[in-house]
Amino acid sequence: MNATVPYVPSESPLEMPSHQREASWPSTPTLEPTNPAAASPQRSLHVLCIDDDEQILESLRDCLGHFGHSVKVASGGKYGIEMFCTAMLKSETFDAVITDLSMPDVNGYEVTRQIKAESPETPLVLMTGAGTTKKDAEMMRAPVDAVVNKPPRMKELSDLLLQLARKA
């Protein structure tokens, strides 16, 4: 059985005597935030992420979770719409939805139309690797609040979600 023995410094010839150690080593400073508002936690959002790429979903869940958001993932457009509608029926609404544009079953344009039909106030972010703009999405009659390119910068995405949720 290993017992933990507390460390007791000795004054061996290789060590500085205790009265000199105390005088020569400054105490460790306590770091205080320079901006107290920056230290306060931001609002935690309940976010639904829809994509057909499992690695993208895992990355979104982990990174947005790091920023304090609760993230649910749906593999594919059809499943994402089902998850959104089921959550609404249970009064467990999402604060925001991120959906990929290109998915094999139901594309992001259709996802945005169906979710906005169910909940017009829910912020929707369209994520694309194709360089699509918000104007392109509007031309396709996709009711999106923002378009982000893949791979997204997670801090910027988190800030965007917070901004959109404040407006909703």
Side-chain angles (χ1 to χ4, degrees):
M1 185 179 340
N2 291 339
T4 304
V5 178
Y7 172 73
V8 179
S10 66
E11 291 189 3
S12 70
L14 298 175
E15 291 183 332
M16 189 181 300
S18 61
H19 67 279
Q20 289 179 346
R21 271 196 312 261
E22 292 169 6
S24 64
W25 291 97
S27 63
T28 305
T30 304
L31 298 177
E32 297 292 331
T34 55
N35 179 0
S40 64
Q42 293 185 356
R43 179 177 170 206
S44 175
L45 301 177
H46 187 53
V47 182
L48 174 61
C49 297
I50 306 168
D51 202 307
D52 60 318
D53 185 329
E54 293 297 326
Q55 289 180 326
I56 297 286
L57 290 173
E58 184 178 330
S59 177
L60 286 167
R61 180 179 49 234
D62 293 347
C63 293
L64 291 174
H66 171 76
F67 290 107
H69 304 298
S70 168
V71 180
K72 298 286 185 191
V73 297
S75 185
K78 182 179 178 187
Y79 185 53
I81 294 166
E82 289 172 6
M83 278 185 72
F84 185 86
C85 292
T86 300
M88 284 197 60
L89 289 173
K90 294 180 179 180
S91 297
E92 299 171 1
T93 58
F94 290 97
D95 296 311
V97 176
I98 300 169
T99 184
D100 185 26
L101 171 60
S102 299
M103 294 180 285
D105 59 346
V106 176
N107 70 33
Y109 292 137
E110 187 59 30
V111 169
T112 63
R113 284 191 283 270
Q114 289 192 35
I115 288 177
K116 282 291 190 178
E118 291 294 323
S119 178
E121 70 282 353
T122 301
L124 274 159
V125 176
L126 186 66
M127 191 169 54
T128 177
T132 304
T133 65
K134 189 168 188 241
K135 186 174 181 177
D136 296 333
E138 289 168 352
M139 287 175 41
M140 295 298 295
R141 299 186 192 274
V144 299
D145 297 285
V147 175
V148 296
N149 289 312
K150 285 184 179 179
R153 290 189 168 102
M154 291 301 170
K155 173 70 171 123
E156 291 174 13
L157 182 58
S158 177
D159 291 345
L160 174 64
L161 292 171
L162 289 166
Q163 177 185 3
L164 293 173
R166 276 192 296 270
K167 289 180 183 179

